[in-house]
mmCIF file of all heavy atoms in Angstrom:
data_model
loop_
_atom_site.group_PDB
_atom_site.id
_atom_site.type_symbol
_atom_site.label_atom_id
_atom_site.label_comp_id
_atom_site.label_asym_id
_atom_site.label_seq_id
_atom_site.Cartn_x
_atom_site.Cartn_y
_atom_site.Cartn_z
ATOM 1 N N ASN A 5 -3.675 8.997 25.177
ATOM 2 C CA ASN A 5 -4.905 9.373 25.864
ATOM 3 C C ASN A 5 -4.869 10.868 26.179
ATOM 4 O O ASN A 5 -4.934 11.293 27.323
ATOM 5 C CB ASN A 5 -5.070 8.551 27.148
ATOM 6 C CG ASN A 5 -6.414 8.766 27.803
ATOM 7 O OD1 ASN A 5 -7.368 9.188 27.155
ATOM 8 N ND2 ASN A 5 -6.484 8.502 29.094
ATOM 9 N N GLY A 6 -4.743 11.672 25.131
ATOM 10 C CA GLY A 6 -4.658 13.123 25.278
ATOM 11 C C GLY A 6 -4.910 13.769 23.935
ATOM 12 O O GLY A 6 -5.778 13.335 23.181
ATOM 13 N N VAL A 7 -4.133 14.798 23.592
ATOM 14 C CA VAL A 7 -4.303 15.435 22.291
ATOM 15 C C VAL A 7 -3.846 14.478 21.196
ATOM 16 O O VAL A 7 -3.042 13.583 21.424
ATOM 17 C CB VAL A 7 -3.512 16.761 22.198
ATOM 18 C CG1 VAL A 7 -4.030 17.763 23.194
ATOM 19 C CG2 VAL A 7 -2.022 16.532 22.378
ATOM 20 N N VAL A 8 -4.388 14.660 20.009
ATOM 21 C CA VAL A 8 -4.008 13.827 18.874
ATOM 22 C C VAL A 8 -3.621 14.721 17.705
ATOM 23 O O VAL A 8 -4.003 15.891 17.644
ATOM 24 C CB VAL A 8 -5.154 12.875 18.444
ATOM 25 C CG1 VAL A 8 -5.571 11.987 19.591
ATOM 26 C CG2 VAL A 8 -6.348 13.654 17.906
ATOM 27 N N THR A 9 -2.840 14.169 16.795
ATOM 28 C CA THR A 9 -2.510 14.890 15.571
ATOM 29 C C THR A 9 -3.480 14.459 14.487
ATOM 30 O O THR A 9 -3.751 13.271 14.317
ATOM 31 C CB THR A 9 -1.063 14.601 15.126
ATOM 32 O OG1 THR A 9 -0.887 13.188 15.043
ATOM 33 C CG2 THR A 9 -0.065 15.162 16.121
ATOM 34 N N ALA A 10 -3.976 15.413 13.747
ATOM 35 C CA ALA A 10 -4.939 15.098 12.699
ATOM 36 C C ALA A 10 -4.295 14.301 11.575
ATOM 37 O O ALA A 10 -4.978 13.619 10.818
ATOM 38 C CB ALA A 10 -5.550 16.390 12.155
ATOM 39 N N GLU A 11 -2.979 14.393 11.453
ATOM 40 C CA GLU A 11 -2.270 13.678 10.398
ATOM 41 C C GLU A 11 -0.853 13.363 10.853
ATOM 42 O O GLU A 11 -0.429 13.743 11.947
ATOM 43 C CB GLU A 11 -2.246 14.521 9.127
ATOM 44 C CG GLU A 11 -1.587 15.872 9.310
ATOM 45 C CD GLU A 11 -1.799 16.795 8.119
ATOM 46 O OE1 GLU A 11 -2.933 16.852 7.604
ATOM 47 O OE2 GLU A 11 -0.818 17.447 7.727
ATOM 48 N N PHE A 12 -0.118 12.669 10.006
ATOM 49 C CA PHE A 12 1.256 12.295 10.285
ATOM 50 C C PHE A 12 2.129 13.551 10.374
ATOM 51 O O PHE A 12 2.005 14.462 9.561
ATOM 52 C CB PHE A 12 1.758 11.387 9.158
ATOM 53 C CG PHE A 12 3.120 10.797 9.374
ATOM 54 C CD1 PHE A 12 3.284 9.661 10.140
ATOM 55 C CD2 PHE A 12 4.239 11.370 8.800
ATOM 56 C CE1 PHE A 12 4.535 9.096 10.327
ATOM 57 C CE2 PHE A 12 5.499 10.821 8.977
ATOM 58 C CZ PHE A 12 5.648 9.681 9.745
ATOM 59 N N VAL A 13 3.004 13.607 11.373
ATOM 60 C CA VAL A 13 3.905 14.745 11.560
ATOM 61 C C VAL A 13 5.327 14.273 11.257
ATOM 62 O O VAL A 13 5.894 13.476 12.002
ATOM 63 C CB VAL A 13 3.826 15.305 12.998
ATOM 64 C CG1 VAL A 13 4.766 16.502 13.148
ATOM 65 C CG2 VAL A 13 2.396 15.718 13.325
ATOM 66 N N GLY A 14 5.896 14.731 10.150
ATOM 67 C CA GLY A 14 7.215 14.292 9.719
ATOM 68 C C GLY A 14 8.338 14.985 10.458
ATOM 69 O O GLY A 14 8.171 16.058 11.038
ATOM 70 N N CYS A 15 9.530 14.360 10.422
ATOM 71 C CA CYS A 15 10.709 14.912 11.098
ATOM 72 C C CYS A 15 11.520 15.823 10.195
ATOM 73 O O CYS A 15 12.510 16.410 10.622
ATOM 74 C CB CYS A 15 11.596 13.781 11.604
ATOM 75 S SG CYS A 15 12.443 12.870 10.279
ATOM 76 N N GLY A 16 11.116 15.940 8.922
ATOM 77 C CA GLY A 16 11.855 16.764 7.971
ATOM 78 C C GLY A 16 12.693 15.963 6.992
ATOM 79 O O GLY A 16 13.389 16.535 6.147
ATOM 80 N N MET A 17 12.648 14.636 7.074
ATOM 81 C CA MET A 17 13.423 13.802 6.154
ATOM 82 C C MET A 17 12.876 13.920 4.741
ATOM 83 O O MET A 17 11.682 13.745 4.510
ATOM 84 C CB MET A 17 13.374 12.339 6.610
ATOM 85 C CG MET A 17 14.285 11.413 5.827
ATOM 86 S SD MET A 17 14.139 9.670 6.332
ATOM 87 C CE MET A 17 12.619 9.202 5.479
ATOM 88 N N PRO A 18 13.736 14.219 3.744
ATOM 89 C CA PRO A 18 13.265 14.375 2.363
ATOM 90 C C PRO A 18 12.620 13.106 1.812
ATOM 91 O O PRO A 18 12.985 11.989 2.203
ATOM 92 C CB PRO A 18 14.552 14.704 1.587
ATOM 93 C CG PRO A 18 15.525 15.174 2.612
ATOM 94 C CD PRO A 18 15.182 14.457 3.880
ATOM 95 N N LYS A 19 11.695 13.284 0.897
ATOM 96 C CA LYS A 19 10.996 12.145 0.309
ATOM 97 C C LYS A 19 11.957 11.210 -0.411
ATOM 98 O O LYS A 19 11.753 9.992 -0.420
ATOM 99 C CB LYS A 19 9.919 12.638 -0.656
ATOM 100 C CG LYS A 19 8.756 13.337 0.027
ATOM 101 C CD LYS A 19 7.710 13.790 -0.982
ATOM 102 C CE LYS A 19 6.553 14.501 -0.277
ATOM 103 N NZ LYS A 19 5.550 14.989 -1.247
ATOM 104 N N LYS A 20 13.006 11.765 -1.009
ATOM 105 C CA LYS A 20 13.947 10.919 -1.738
ATOM 106 C C LYS A 20 14.743 9.997 -0.809
ATOM 107 O O LYS A 20 15.400 9.058 -1.275
ATOM 108 C CB LYS A 20 14.896 11.773 -2.576
ATOM 109 C CG LYS A 20 15.758 12.740 -1.784
ATOM 110 C CD LYS A 20 16.607 13.587 -2.729
ATOM 111 C CE LYS A 20 17.443 14.607 -1.966
ATOM 112 N NZ LYS A 20 18.385 13.996 -1.039
ATOM 113 N N ASN A 21 14.700 10.257 0.490
ATOM 114 C CA ASN A 21 15.379 9.396 1.459
ATOM 115 C C ASN A 21 14.508 8.231 1.912
ATOM 116 O O ASN A 21 14.927 7.431 2.745
ATOM 117 C CB ASN A 21 15.826 10.203 2.679
ATOM 118 C CG ASN A 21 16.930 11.203 2.351
ATOM 119 O OD1 ASN A 21 17.186 11.489 1.189
ATOM 120 N ND2 ASN A 21 17.577 11.734 3.366
ATOM 121 N N LYS A 22 13.299 8.161 1.370
ATOM 122 C CA LYS A 22 12.396 7.051 1.676
ATOM 123 C C LYS A 22 12.657 5.939 0.662
ATOM 124 O O LYS A 22 12.304 6.066 -0.506
ATOM 125 C CB LYS A 22 10.940 7.522 1.624
ATOM 126 C CG LYS A 22 10.612 8.579 2.665
ATOM 127 C CD LYS A 22 9.369 9.389 2.323
ATOM 128 C CE LYS A 22 8.116 8.573 2.350
ATOM 129 N NZ LYS A 22 6.900 9.420 2.168
ATOM 130 N N LEU A 23 13.281 4.868 1.117
ATOM 131 C CA LEU A 23 13.704 3.790 0.232
ATOM 132 C C LEU A 23 12.838 2.552 0.433
ATOM 133 O O LEU A 23 12.079 2.458 1.392
ATOM 134 C CB LEU A 23 15.172 3.441 0.510
ATOM 135 C CG LEU A 23 16.156 4.622 0.593
ATOM 136 C CD1 LEU A 23 17.533 4.124 1.014
ATOM 137 C CD2 LEU A 23 16.229 5.360 -0.735
ATOM 138 N N LYS A 24 12.984 1.592 -0.482
ATOM 139 C CA LYS A 24 12.308 0.304 -0.324
ATOM 140 C C LYS A 24 13.203 -0.808 -0.854
ATOM 141 O O LYS A 24 14.022 -0.601 -1.751
ATOM 142 C CB LYS A 24 10.946 0.291 -1.015
ATOM 143 C CG LYS A 24 11.016 0.333 -2.531
ATOM 144 C CD LYS A 24 9.649 0.029 -3.134
ATOM 145 C CE LYS A 24 9.770 -0.081 -4.662
ATOM 146 N NZ LYS A 24 8.551 -0.636 -5.267
ATOM 147 N N SER A 25 13.049 -1.984 -0.283
ATOM 148 C CA SER A 25 13.832 -3.135 -0.716
ATOM 149 C C SER A 25 13.296 -3.676 -2.033
ATOM 150 O O SER A 25 12.149 -3.403 -2.417
ATOM 151 C CB SER A 25 13.789 -4.227 0.357
ATOM 152 O OG SER A 25 12.454 -4.655 0.567
ATOM 153 N N THR A 26 14.116 -4.442 -2.717
ATOM 154 C CA THR A 26 13.677 -5.027 -3.984
ATOM 155 C C THR A 26 12.642 -6.121 -3.772
ATOM 156 O O THR A 26 11.715 -6.286 -4.567
ATOM 157 C CB THR A 26 14.883 -5.601 -4.747
ATOM 158 O OG1 THR A 26 15.607 -6.481 -3.875
ATOM 159 C CG2 THR A 26 15.816 -4.480 -5.203
ATOM 160 N N VAL A 27 12.809 -6.873 -2.678
ATOM 161 C CA VAL A 27 11.901 -7.972 -2.341
ATOM 162 C C VAL A 27 11.641 -7.930 -0.837
ATOM 163 O O VAL A 27 12.479 -7.454 -0.067
ATOM 164 C CB VAL A 27 12.529 -9.345 -2.726
ATOM 165 C CG1 VAL A 27 11.621 -10.489 -2.318
ATOM 166 C CG2 VAL A 27 12.829 -9.399 -4.219
ATOM 167 N N ASP A 28 10.485 -8.399 -0.416
ATOM 168 C CA ASP A 28 10.166 -8.505 1.009
ATOM 169 C C ASP A 28 11.227 -9.358 1.698
ATOM 170 O O ASP A 28 11.510 -10.486 1.281
ATOM 171 C CB ASP A 28 8.786 -9.150 1.169
ATOM 172 C CG ASP A 28 8.283 -9.139 2.607
ATOM 173 O OD1 ASP A 28 9.120 -9.104 3.540
ATOM 174 O OD2 ASP A 28 7.059 -9.175 2.800
ATOM 175 N N TRP A 29 11.829 -8.818 2.770
ATOM 176 C CA TRP A 29 12.871 -9.560 3.480
ATOM 177 C C TRP A 29 12.352 -10.863 4.074
ATOM 178 O O TRP A 29 13.134 -11.742 4.411
ATOM 179 C CB TRP A 29 13.470 -8.683 4.585
ATOM 180 C CG TRP A 29 14.514 -7.724 4.086
ATOM 181 C CD1 TRP A 29 14.692 -7.305 2.801
ATOM 182 C CD2 TRP A 29 15.528 -7.090 4.866
ATOM 183 N NE1 TRP A 29 15.755 -6.429 2.720
ATOM 184 C CE2 TRP A 29 16.281 -6.275 3.981
ATOM 185 C CE3 TRP A 29 15.853 -7.099 6.212
ATOM 186 C CZ2 TRP A 29 17.358 -5.506 4.417
ATOM 187 C CZ3 TRP A 29 16.923 -6.328 6.657
ATOM 188 C CH2 TRP A 29 17.671 -5.535 5.766
#
């Protein structure tokens, strides 16, 4: 209930560190 960010603000984690599982757990 205050200022908002116009978009997602990342922490600096590289895109290659974004992983996914082979199947939904």
Side-chain angles (χ1 to χ4, degrees):
N5 188 22
V7 297
V8 302
T9 53
E11 59 191 43
F12 186 83
V13 181
C15 71
M17 187 183 79
K19 291 181 180 178
K20 61 183 178 61
N21 292 14
K22 297 160 66 173
L23 312 174
K24 69 168 186 168
S25 61
T26 52
V27 177
D28 188 334
W29 278 20

